[in-house]
């Protein structure tokens, strides 16, 4: 594998991981929106009565998005098709 091929391969792998991380973060934001919309555990009611509702939403959305983004990226690492390139 030449240096140019290796660089291209690394860029492809990083792109693959970034897409999976972005997908996980998106799922975390959708899940946060569902928590608010369906008022699970009275969350939306509590947010409405909060003096700083943006902070309350952020304290749920950020960790949930980061958790699901990391889980999605770690799954992508386990499923990465890296070994198939060297089966010549």
């Amino acid at each position: 594998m030449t240096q140019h091929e290796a660089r291209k391969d690394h860029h492809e792998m990083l792109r693959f991981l970034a897409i999976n991380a972005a997908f996980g973060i998106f799922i975390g934001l959708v899940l946060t929106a569902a928590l608010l919309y369906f008022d699970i555990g009275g969350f939306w009611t509590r947010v409405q009565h909060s003096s700083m509702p943006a902070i309350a939403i952020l304290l749920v959305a950020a960790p949930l998005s980061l958790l699901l983004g990391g889980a999605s990226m770690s799954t992508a690492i386990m499923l990465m098709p890296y070994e198939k390139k060297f089966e010549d």
Side-chain angles (χ1 to χ4, degrees), residues 1 10 14 29 36 47 51 57 59 66-67:
M1 179 180 270
H10 288 144
L14 288 174
L29 293 174
L36 290 167
V47 167
S51 61
I57 294 171
L59 286 174
L66 291 174
L67 175 74

Side-chain angles (χ1 to χ4, degrees), residues 1-12 82 86:
M1 179 180 270
T2 67
Q3 185 178 8
H4 178 68
E5 290 172 339
R7 184 176 294 122
K8 183 180 175 189
D9 185 50
H10 288 144
H11 287 294
E12 288 174 4
Y82 190 70
F86 300 106

Side-chain angles (χ1 to χ4, degrees), residues 21-79:
F23 179 72
I25 290 169
F26 174 73
I27 294 297
L29 293 174
V30 168
L31 187 58
T32 302
L35 284 170
L36 290 167
Y37 181 75
F38 294 113
D39 198 20
I40 296 174
F43 182 53
W44 177 242
T45 306
R46 295 184 198 296
V47 167
Q48 283 180 325
H49 293 95
S50 173
S51 61
M52 292 187 280
I55 299 295
I57 294 171
L58 183 67
L59 286 174
V60 171
L64 191 58
S65 296
L66 291 174
L67 175 74
L68 293 177
S72 177
M73 195 165 69
S74 63
T75 304
I77 289 171
M78 289 186 283
L79 298 175

